[in-house]
Amino acid sequence: MTLDETRQSDPSRFGTEAFYAAVGRAFVAMCAFVPVLFAIEFLDRLTGERLDQDGGIRPHHLDGLDGIVFSPFLHAGFAHVLANSIPLILLGTFVLAAGTTRFLLTTVFIALVAGVGVWFIGDPDTVVVGASGVIFGYLGVILMRGVVEHSWWHIAVGVLIGLLYGWQLFGVLPGEEGVSWQGHLCGFIGGLVAAVVFRRRRPRRTDDPLAIGTDAA
C-alpha cells in the first residue's frame, strides 16, 4: 500500500473518505443511543422515580456509590434528557469517530472520574443524576486531543463547539441551584486526562524514507 493510500484509509485524517465514513457511523450510533435514555426516563416515571432515587449518586453515603455506574443513564425528567441530547450527540460523535475502543475506554474513565468526584465533593443532601459529567468530559477530550495529537481538525472542532457551547463552561463553577457543578468540573478534568492517556499513537513507518524521524501520517 502506498503512502497516499495509507493516508486515504486513515479515519483520523480530515477530508478522507474513511474520515467522513467514521463520523457518519458515529453520528448514527449516538443518535440511536439517545432514545435509550428517553426509554429509561419513561421507565423511571412509571416507577415513581425510584430509578433516580436508587441509582443516583448520594455524595458521602456508601449506599450511593453504585450511582457512579448508573447515574449517567438517569435524568431528572424528560426536559433534562432533551437538554443533554444535542451536546451528547455532537460531542459524542467526534469522540466515537476516533475509534470504538478508545471511545469506550474514554467514556468509562470520564464517568468514573466525574462520579467519584461528585461522591467526594458533592452535597451530601442531594441525589445526582444525568449525563452532564460525561458531556463535559467529551468537551475536554476534544479540546485536549487537538493539542496532544497535533490534530488541526480536532482543534477546529474544539473551537467551533467552544463558540457554540462556550457558555456551558461556566457550568464547572458553582452557580445555578440544582445543577451539579462538581460533576461538570470533574467530568471536564476527566476528559482532559483521558485525551492524554488514550491518545492515538501513530506507528513509525521505517520502510518509508519520508517517515524517518517523524510520526507516520
Side-chain angles (χ1 to χ4, degrees):
M1 181 179 291
T2 66
L3 179 60
D4 184 63
E5 290 175 334
T6 300
R7 288 175 173 174
Q8 288 301 314
S9 63
D10 185 356
S12 68
R13 180 173 288 277
F14 179 79
T16 65
E17 291 185 7
F19 169 83
Y20 292 121
V23 171
R25 289 193 298 269
F27 179 75
V28 171
M30 294 306 302
C31 287
F33 177 70
V34 167
V36 175
L37 297 180
F38 276 97
I40 293 174
E41 181 56 31
F42 179 73
L43 181 60
D44 185 44
R45 299 290 100 180
L46 294 179
T47 61
E49 301 184 0
R50 291 307 307 171
L51 294 183
D52 286 349
Q53 294 300 316
D54 295 338
I57 299 175
R58 294 179 179 272
H60 309 296
H61 295 278
L62 291 178
D63 61 352
L65 279 172
D66 56 353
I68 295 174
V69 176
F70 299 114
S71 63
F73 301 97
L74 304 172
H75 291 80
F78 289 109
H80 190 196
V81 182
L82 184 61
N84 280 341
S85 294
I86 294 178
L88 181 63
I89 290 174
L90 292 179
L91 294 168
T93 291
F94 289 105
V95 177
L96 177 56
T100 302
T101 300
R102 293 176 70 196
F103 172 79
L104 293 176
L105 291 173
T106 295
T107 301
V108 170
F109 183 85
I110 291 172
L112 288 176
V113 172
V116 171
V118 167
W119 192 86
F120 273 107
I121 66 177
D123 185 344
D125 297 322
T126 61
V127 177
V128 180
V129 296
S132 300
V134 173
I135 291 172
F136 271 84
Y138 286 163
L139 179 59
V141 167
I142 292 174
L143 292 174
M144 181 59 77
R145 187 175 283 174
V147 176
V148 299
E149 297 186 11
H150 308 290
S151 171
W152 286 107
W153 80 266
H154 270 109
I155 294 176
V157 168
V159 171
L160 176 60
I161 293 177
L163 292 174
L164 293 176
Y165 295 99
W167 57 272
Q168 288 194 4
L169 291 176
F170 289 104
V172 303
L173 301 174
E176 185 179 349
E177 184 178 356
V179 175
S180 177
W181 63 268
Q182 298 95 334
H184 297 173
L185 176 60
C186 293
F188 185 72
I189 293 174
L192 295 177
V193 175
V196 177
V197 175
F198 304 116
R199 64 187 180 277
R200 186 170 187 265
R201 294 174 173 82
R202 296 174 181 268
R204 296 183 182 278
R205 292 175 54 86
T206 56
D207 59 329
D208 189 334
L210 294 177
I212 296 177
T214 62
D215 287 340

